[in-house]
Amino acid sequence: MKNFVEELKWRGMIHDIMPGTEEELMKGPAAAYVGIDPTGDSLHIGHLVSIMILKHFQNCGHKPYALVGGATGMIGDPSMKSAERNLLDEQTLAHNVSCIKAQLSRFLDFNSDAPNKAELVNNYDWMKDYTFINFTRDIGKLITVNYMMSKDSVRKRLSRESSEGMSFTEFTYQLLQGYDFLYLYEHRNVKLQLGGADQWGNITTGTELIRRVLGKEAYALTCPLITKADGGKFGKTEKGNIWLDAERTSPYQFYQFWLNVSDEDAERYIKIFTMLDRETIESAIAEQREDPGRRTLQKLLAKEVTIMVHGQAEYEKALSASQMLFSNCTSDALKALDERTFLDVFDGVPTFEIRRGSLPMGILDVLAVETSVFPSKAEARKMLTGGGVSINKEKVTDLNRQITEDDIIDGKYILAQRGKKNYYIIIVK
């Protein structure tokens, strides 16, 4: 068996670890779980660290459980939150759970016959019939309010000047999460809970419950909350979160996010977000330091994570699309882009509109009369004869060239290029 803790250490993926955890795991195959609240129908890259830890856990021969919190998701975890979370209804939660399982299947083996195949569990299954009276008698009496108040997630929330306090509903969250651990220990022999650094208080409440109810030891391991080197929030862009769902964040945008991280961040992220071995990673880091301009590390990181999340075919499309602005790619490559990727690649370039009924039309009229790609026909003519104009990535030098419906991409776009770097989208309506 591979040493799971040792694997995480060199990758910089351990924030806190309970004494005895490494020794327990080296005794033989063990079971561990990560909890995910299904507050949305897609995971984002902020969830990826915990998922990668589960992936490493399975890769080291152990059995991973992904706990989707159908019950706790109805309440909301106060950790790192400044306000109460909106409560979700059962139907929405069921939809979210289904979508999340499909995404987790890209990372974890749920379907093989291996004894350590991953399993998905939902705490709603064991909480839905547990009455409030029984829960408070069985579990509530075991943990003091003083103990619960000492947790960072509670203390920080209550100490904020802007805080409106915390409802009893959210205050009970750590008891419910602790009970999940107790339940999985009793029914699935799960002795270890994994999670982000902000979950340490909730996780140790579970180990305490197990000690008090069963008189047995349970273990905890948390990973750092990922940040950017410049102090910015990881996984956030101007458009919001980077999602794992291709409908929310296109594979091209996803690839671009990783491709554009800083050198310093790339050195950390490639250890955390890929399964590449130590030798490969250290070699890539050394190559990057020798020649940062080649961005070897970012390209490798973007490739590995995009393939893992979206598959080889989508990676190749994203790679091709990313070269669109900076290389002499072909018209065929441009036309192979789907509409969303086309718009992503050329996001922010000037756009013009022309009427479909006006086609065919001479190229000088298209570029200098119907649109303002050029301020005048004279300038358009000069650059055309000099080979500085392309339509849909094909050079045009013929002053009499007609723009027809055959030039329209995806039923409504024509891409005009002036010089090497100036692009314009002409929308045909």
Side-chain angles (χ1 to χ4, degrees), residues 111-148:
N111 301 313
S112 76
D113 296 328
N116 70 325
K117 75 172 185 177
E119 292 193 39
L120 186 87
V121 291
N122 184 345
N123 61 14
Y124 184 72
D125 293 338
W126 56 83
M127 290 304 303
K128 64 185 177 193
D129 297 322
Y130 205 167
T131 68
F132 177 73
I133 290 174
N134 285 340
F135 184 79
T136 52
R137 281 173 59 88
D138 299 343
I139 305 301
K141 68 179 181 179
L142 298 172
I143 301 292
T144 67
V145 171
N146 298 36
Y147 179 88
M148 296 172 72

CSV table of all heavy atoms in Angstrom, one decimal, residues 111-148:
chain,number,residue,atom,x,y,z
A,111,ASN,N,-17.8,2.2,-9.9
A,111,ASN,CA,-18.5,1.1,-10.6
A,111,ASN,C,-17.7,-0.2,-10.7
A,111,ASN,O,-18.2,-1.2,-11.2
A,111,ASN,CB,-18.8,1.6,-12.0
A,111,ASN,CG,-19.7,2.8,-11.9
A,111,ASN,OD1,-20.7,2.8,-11.2
A,111,ASN,ND2,-19.4,3.8,-12.7
A,112,SER,N,-16.4,-0.2,-10.3
A,112,SER,CA,-15.7,-1.5,-10.5
A,112,SER,C,-16.0,-2.5,-9.4
A,112,SER,O,-16.8,-2.2,-8.5
A,112,SER,CB,-14.2,-1.2,-10.4
A,112,SER,OG,-13.8,-1.0,-9.0
A,113,ASP,N,-15.4,-3.7,-9.5
A,113,ASP,CA,-15.6,-4.7,-8.5
A,113,ASP,C,-14.6,-4.7,-7.4
A,113,ASP,O,-14.5,-5.5,-6.5
A,113,ASP,CB,-15.6,-6.1,-9.1
A,113,ASP,CG,-16.7,-6.3,-10.1
A,113,ASP,OD1,-17.8,-5.7,-9.9
A,113,ASP,OD2,-16.5,-7.0,-11.1
A,114,ALA,N,-13.7,-3.6,-7.4
A,114,ALA,CA,-12.6,-3.5,-6.4
A,114,ALA,C,-13.2,-3.3,-5.0
A,114,ALA,O,-14.2,-2.7,-4.9
A,114,ALA,CB,-11.7,-2.4,-6.8
A,115,PRO,N,-12.6,-4.0,-4.0
A,115,PRO,CA,-13.1,-3.8,-2.7
A,115,PRO,C,-13.1,-2.4,-2.2
A,115,PRO,O,-13.8,-2.0,-1.3
A,115,PRO,CB,-12.2,-4.7,-1.8
A,115,PRO,CG,-10.9,-4.9,-2.7
A,115,PRO,CD,-11.4,-4.8,-4.1
A,116,ASN,N,-12.2,-1.5,-2.8
A,116,ASN,CA,-12.1,-0.1,-2.4
A,116,ASN,C,-12.8,0.8,-3.3
A,116,ASN,O,-12.5,2.0,-3.5
A,116,ASN,CB,-10.7,0.3,-2.2
A,116,ASN,CG,-9.9,0.4,-3.5
A,116,ASN,OD1,-10.2,-0.4,-4.4
A,116,ASN,ND2,-9.0,1.4,-3.6
A,117,LYS,N,-13.8,0.3,-4.0
A,117,LYS,CA,-14.6,1.2,-4.9
A,117,LYS,C,-15.3,2.3,-4.1
A,117,LYS,O,-15.6,2.1,-2.9
A,117,LYS,CB,-15.6,0.4,-5.7
A,117,LYS,CG,-16.9,0.0,-5.0
A,117,LYS,CD,-17.9,-0.6,-5.9
A,117,LYS,CE,-19.2,-0.9,-5.2
A,117,LYS,NZ,-20.2,-1.4,-6.1
A,118,ALA,N,-15.4,3.4,-4.7
A,118,ALA,CA,-16.0,4.6,-4.0
A,118,ALA,C,-17.5,4.4,-3.8
A,118,ALA,O,-18.2,3.7,-4.6
A,118,ALA,CB,-15.8,5.9,-4.8
A,119,GLU,N,-18.1,5.0,-2.8
A,119,GLU,CA,-19.5,4.9,-2.5
A,119,GLU,C,-20.0,6.3,-2.2
A,119,GLU,O,-19.4,7.1,-1.5
A,119,GLU,CB,-19.9,3.9,-1.4
A,119,GLU,CG,-19.6,2.5,-1.8
A,119,GLU,CD,-20.2,1.5,-0.8
A,119,GLU,OE1,-21.3,1.7,-0.4
A,119,GLU,OE2,-19.5,0.5,-0.5
A,120,LEU,N,-21.2,6.6,-2.7
A,120,LEU,CA,-21.9,7.8,-2.4
A,120,LEU,C,-23.0,7.5,-1.3
A,120,LEU,O,-23.8,6.6,-1.5
A,120,LEU,CB,-22.6,8.4,-3.6
A,120,LEU,CG,-23.2,9.8,-3.5
A,120,LEU,CD1,-22.1,10.8,-3.7
A,120,LEU,CD2,-24.3,10.0,-4.4
A,121,VAL,N,-23.0,8.3,-0.3
A,121,VAL,CA,-24.0,8.2,0.7
A,121,VAL,C,-24.7,9.6,1.0
A,121,VAL,O,-24.0,10.6,0.7
A,121,VAL,CB,-23.5,7.7,2.1
A,121,VAL,CG1,-23.0,6.2,1.9
A,121,VAL,CG2,-22.3,8.5,2.6
A,122,ASN,N,-25.9,9.6,1.4
A,122,ASN,CA,-26.7,10.8,1.6
A,122,ASN,C,-27.2,10.8,3.1
A,122,ASN,O,-27.9,9.9,3.5
A,122,ASN,CB,-27.8,10.8,0.6
A,122,ASN,CG,-28.6,12.1,0.7
A,122,ASN,OD1,-28.5,12.9,1.6
A,122,ASN,ND2,-29.4,12.4,-0.3
A,123,ASN,N,-26.8,11.8,3.9
A,123,ASN,CA,-27.2,11.8,5.3
A,123,ASN,C,-28.7,12.0,5.5
A,123,ASN,O,-29.2,11.7,6.6
A,123,ASN,CB,-26.3,12.8,6.1
A,123,ASN,CG,-26.5,14.2,5.7
A,123,ASN,OD1,-27.4,14.6,4.9
A,123,ASN,ND2,-25.6,15.0,6.2
A,124,TYR,N,-29.4,12.4,4.4
A,124,TYR,CA,-30.8,12.5,4.5
A,124,TYR,C,-31.4,11.1,4.8
A,124,TYR,O,-32.5,10.9,5.5
A,124,TYR,CB,-31.4,13.1,3.2
A,124,TYR,CG,-32.9,13.3,3.3
A,124,TYR,CD1,-33.5,14.3,4.1
A,124,TYR,CD2,-33.8,12.5,2.6
A,124,TYR,CE1,-34.8,14.5,4.2
A,124,TYR,CE2,-35.2,12.6,2.6
A,124,TYR,CZ,-35.7,13.7,3.4
A,124,TYR,OH,-37.0,13.8,3.5
A,125,ASP,N,-30.8,10.0,4.3
A,125,ASP,CA,-31.3,8.7,4.5
A,125,ASP,C,-31.3,8.3,5.9
A,125,ASP,O,-32.2,7.5,6.3
A,125,ASP,CB,-30.4,7.7,3.7
A,125,ASP,CG,-30.5,7.9,2.2
A,125,ASP,OD1,-31.5,8.4,1.7
A,125,ASP,OD2,-29.5,7.5,1.5
A,126,TRP,N,-30.4,8.7,6.8
A,126,TRP,CA,-30.5,8.3,8.2
A,126,TRP,C,-31.0,9.4,9.1
A,126,TRP,O,-31.3,9.2,10.3
A,126,TRP,CB,-29.1,7.8,8.7
A,126,TRP,CG,-27.9,8.7,8.5
A,126,TRP,CD1,-27.6,9.7,9.4
A,126,TRP,CD2,-26.9,8.6,7.5
A,126,TRP,NE1,-26.4,10.3,8.9
A,126,TRP,CE2,-26.0,9.6,7.8
A,126,TRP,CE3,-26.7,7.8,6.4
A,126,TRP,CZ2,-24.9,9.8,7.0
A,126,TRP,CZ3,-25.6,8.0,5.6
A,126,TRP,CH2,-24.7,9.0,5.9
A,127,MET,N,-31.2,10.6,8.5
A,127,MET,CA,-31.7,11.7,9.4
A,127,MET,C,-33.2,11.9,9.2
A,127,MET,O,-33.9,12.5,10.1
A,127,MET,CB,-31.0,13.0,9.0
A,127,MET,CG,-29.5,13.1,9.5
A,127,MET,SD,-29.2,12.8,11.2
A,127,MET,CE,-30.3,14.1,12.0
A,128,LYS,N,-33.8,11.5,8.1
A,128,LYS,CA,-35.2,11.9,7.8
A,128,LYS,C,-36.2,11.3,8.8
A,128,LYS,O,-37.2,11.9,9.0
A,128,LYS,CB,-35.5,11.4,6.4
A,128,LYS,CG,-35.5,9.9,6.2
A,128,LYS,CD,-35.8,9.5,4.7
A,128,LYS,CE,-35.7,8.0,4.6
A,128,LYS,NZ,-35.6,7.6,3.2
A,129,ASP,N,-35.9,10.2,9.4
A,129,ASP,CA,-36.8,9.6,10.4
A,129,ASP,C,-36.4,9.7,11.8
A,129,ASP,O,-37.0,9.2,12.7
A,129,ASP,CB,-37.0,8.1,10.1
A,129,ASP,CG,-37.7,7.9,8.7
A,129,ASP,OD1,-38.6,8.7,8.3
A,129,ASP,OD2,-37.3,6.9,8.0
A,130,TYR,N,-35.3,10.5,12.0
A,130,TYR,CA,-34.7,10.7,13.4
A,130,TYR,C,-35.5,11.9,14.0
A,130,TYR,O,-35.3,13.0,13.5
A,130,TYR,CB,-33.2,11.0,13.3
A,130,TYR,CG,-32.4,10.6,14.5
A,130,TYR,CD1,-31.0,10.6,14.4
A,130,TYR,CD2,-33.0,10.4,15.7
A,130,TYR,CE1,-30.3,10.3,15.6
A,130,TYR,CE2,-32.3,10.1,16.9
A,130,TYR,CZ,-30.9,10.0,16.8
A,130,TYR,OH,-30.1,9.7,17.9
A,131,THR,N,-36.3,11.7,15.0
A,131,THR,CA,-37.1,12.8,15.6
A,131,THR,C,-36.2,13.7,16.3
A,131,THR,O,-35.1,13.4,16.9
A,131,THR,CB,-38.2,12.2,16.5
A,131,THR,OG1,-37.6,11.7,17.7
A,131,THR,CG2,-39.1,11.2,15.8
A,132,PHE,N,-36.7,14.9,16.4
A,132,PHE,CA,-36.0,16.0,17.2
A,132,PHE,C,-35.8,15.6,18.6
A,132,PHE,O,-34.7,15.7,19.2
A,132,PHE,CB,-36.7,17.3,17.1
A,132,PHE,CG,-36.1,18.4,17.9
A,132,PHE,CD1,-35.0,19.0,17.4
A,132,PHE,CD2,-36.7,18.8,19.1
A,132,PHE,CE1,-34.4,20.1,18.2
A,132,PHE,CE2,-36.1,19.9,19.8
A,132,PHE,CZ,-35.0,20.5,19.3
A,133,ILE,N,-36.8,15.0,19.2
A,133,ILE,CA,-36.7,14.6,20.6
A,133,ILE,C,-35.6,13.5,20.8
A,133,ILE,O,-34.8,13.6,21.7
A,133,ILE,CB,-38.1,14.1,21.2
A,133,ILE,CG1,-39.0,15.3,21.3
A,133,ILE,CG2,-37.9,13.4,22.5
A,133,ILE,CD1,-40.4,14.9,21.6
A,134,ASN,N,-35.6,12.5,19.9
A,134,ASN,CA,-34.6,11.5,20.1
A,134,ASN,C,-33.2,12.0,19.8
A,134,ASN,O,-32.3,11.6,20.5
A,134,ASN,CB,-35.0,10.3,19.1
A,134,ASN,CG,-36.2,9.5,19.6
A,134,ASN,OD1,-36.5,9.5,20.8
A,134,ASN,ND2,-36.8,8.8,18.7
A,135,PHE,N,-33.1,12.9,18.8
A,135,PHE,CA,-31.7,13.4,18.5
A,135,PHE,C,-31.2,14.2,19.7
A,135,PHE,O,-30.0,14.0,20.1
A,135,PHE,CB,-31.8,14.3,17.3
A,135,PHE,CG,-30.5,14.8,16.9
A,135,PHE,CD1,-29.6,13.9,16.2
A,135,PHE,CD2,-30.0,16.1,17.2
A,135,PHE,CE1,-28.3,14.4,15.8
A,135,PHE,CE2,-28.8,16.5,16.8
A,135,PHE,CZ,-27.9,15.7,16.1
A,136,THR,N,-32.0,15.0,20.3
A,136,THR,CA,-31.5,15.8,21.4
A,136,THR,C,-31.2,14.9,22.6
A,136,THR,O,-30.3,15.2,23.4
A,136,THR,CB,-32.5,16.9,21.8
A,136,THR,OG1,-33.8,16.3,22.0
A,136,THR,CG2,-32.6,18.0,20.7
A,137,ARG,N,-32.0,13.9,22.8
A,137,ARG,CA,-31.8,13.0,24.0
A,137,ARG,C,-30.5,12.1,23.7
A,137,ARG,O,-29.7,12.0,24.6
A,137,ARG,CB,-33.0,12.0,24.2
A,137,ARG,CG,-34.1,12.6,24.9
A,137,ARG,CD,-35.3,11.7,24.9
A,137,ARG,NE,-35.0,10.4,25.5
A,137,ARG,CZ,-35.1,10.1,26.8
A,137,ARG,NH1,-35.6,11.1,27.6
A,137,ARG,NH2,-34.8,8.9,27.3
A,138,ASP,N,-30.4,11.6,22.5
A,138,ASP,CA,-29.2,10.7,22.2
A,138,ASP,C,-27.9,11.4,22.0
A,138,ASP,O,-26.9,11.0,22.5
A,138,ASP,CB,-29.5,9.9,20.9
A,138,ASP,CG,-30.8,9.0,21.1
A,138,ASP,OD1,-31.2,8.8,22.2
A,138,ASP,OD2,-31.3,8.6,20.0
A,139,ILE,N,-28.0,12.5,21.3
A,139,ILE,CA,-26.7,13.2,20.8
A,139,ILE,C,-26.5,14.5,21.6
A,139,ILE,O,-25.4,14.8,22.0
A,139,ILE,CB,-26.8,13.4,19.3
A,139,ILE,CG1,-27.0,12.1,18.5
A,139,ILE,CG2,-25.5,14.1,18.8
A,139,ILE,CD1,-26.0,11.0,18.8
A,140,GLY,N,-27.6,15.3,21.7
A,140,GLY,CA,-27.5,16.6,22.2
A,140,GLY,C,-26.9,16.6,23.6
A,140,GLY,O,-26.1,17.6,24.0
A,141,LYS,N,-27.2,15.6,24.4
A,141,LYS,CA,-26.7,15.6,25.8
A,141,LYS,C,-25.3,15.3,25.9
A,141,LYS,O,-24.7,15.4,27.0
A,141,LYS,CB,-27.6,14.6,26.6
A,141,LYS,CG,-27.3,13.1,26.2
A,141,LYS,CD,-28.1,12.2,27.1
A,141,LYS,CE,-27.9,10.7,26.7
A,141,LYS,NZ,-28.6,9.8,27.5
A,142,LEU,N,-24.7,14.8,24.8
A,142,LEU,CA,-23.3,14.3,24.9
A,142,LEU,C,-22.2,15.5,24.7
A,142,LEU,O,-21.1,15.3,25.1
A,142,LEU,CB,-23.0,13.2,23.9
A,142,LEU,CG,-23.8,12.0,24.0
A,142,LEU,CD1,-23.6,11.0,22.8
A,142,LEU,CD2,-23.4,11.2,25.3
A,143,ILE,N,-22.7,16.5,24.1
A,143,ILE,CA,-21.8,17.6,23.8
A,143,ILE,C,-22.3,18.9,24.4
A,143,ILE,O,-23.4,19.3,24.3
A,143,ILE,CB,-21.7,17.9,22.2
A,143,ILE,CG1,-21.2,16.6,21.5
A,143,ILE,CG2,-20.8,19.0,21.9
A,143,ILE,CD1,-19.8,16.2,21.8
A,144,THR,N,-21.4,19.6,25.2
A,144,THR,CA,-21.8,20.8,25.9
A,144,THR,C,-21.9,22.0,25.0
A,144,THR,O,-21.2,22.0,24.0
A,144,THR,CB,-20.9,21.1,27.1
A,144,THR,OG1,-19.6,21.5,26.5
A,144,THR,CG2,-20.7,19.9,28.0
A,145,VAL,N,-22.7,23.0,25.4
A,145,VAL,CA,-22.7,24.2,24.6
A,145,VAL,C,-21.4,24.9,24.7
A,145,VAL,O,-20.9,25.5,23.7
A,145,VAL,CB,-23.8,25.1,25.2
A,145,VAL,CG1,-23.7,26.5,24.6
A,145,VAL,CG2,-25.2,24.5,25.0
A,146,ASN,N,-20.7,24.8,25.8
A,146,ASN,CA,-19.3,25.4,26.0
A,146,ASN,C,-18.4,24.8,24.9
A,146,ASN,O,-17.6,25.6,24.3
A,146,ASN,CB,-18.7,25.1,27.4
A,146,ASN,CG,-19.6,25.7,28.5
A,146,ASN,OD1,-20.8,25.7,28.4
A,146,ASN,ND2,-18.9,26.1,29.5
A,147,TYR,N,-18.5,23.5,24.7
A,147,TYR,CA,-17.6,22.8,23.7
A,147,TYR,C,-17.9,23.4,22.3
A,147,TYR,O,-17.1,23.7,21.5
A,147,TYR,CB,-17.9,21.3,23.8
A,147,TYR,CG,-17.0,20.5,22.8
A,147,TYR,CD1,-15.8,20.1,23.1
A,147,TYR,CD2,-17.6,20.2,21.5
A,147,TYR,CE1,-15.0,19.3,22.1
A,147,TYR,CE2,-16.8,19.5,20.6
A,147,TYR,CZ,-15.6,19.0,20.9
A,147,TYR,OH,-14.8,18.3,20.0
A,148,MET,N,-19.2,23.5,22.0
A,148,MET,CA,-19.7,23.9,20.7
A,148,MET,C,-19.3,25.4,20.4
A,148,MET,O,-18.9,25.8,19.3
A,148,MET,CB,-21.2,23.8,20.5
A,148,MET,CG,-21.6,22.3,20.5
A,148,MET,SD,-23.4,22.1,20.6
A,148,MET,CE,-23.8,22.6,18.9
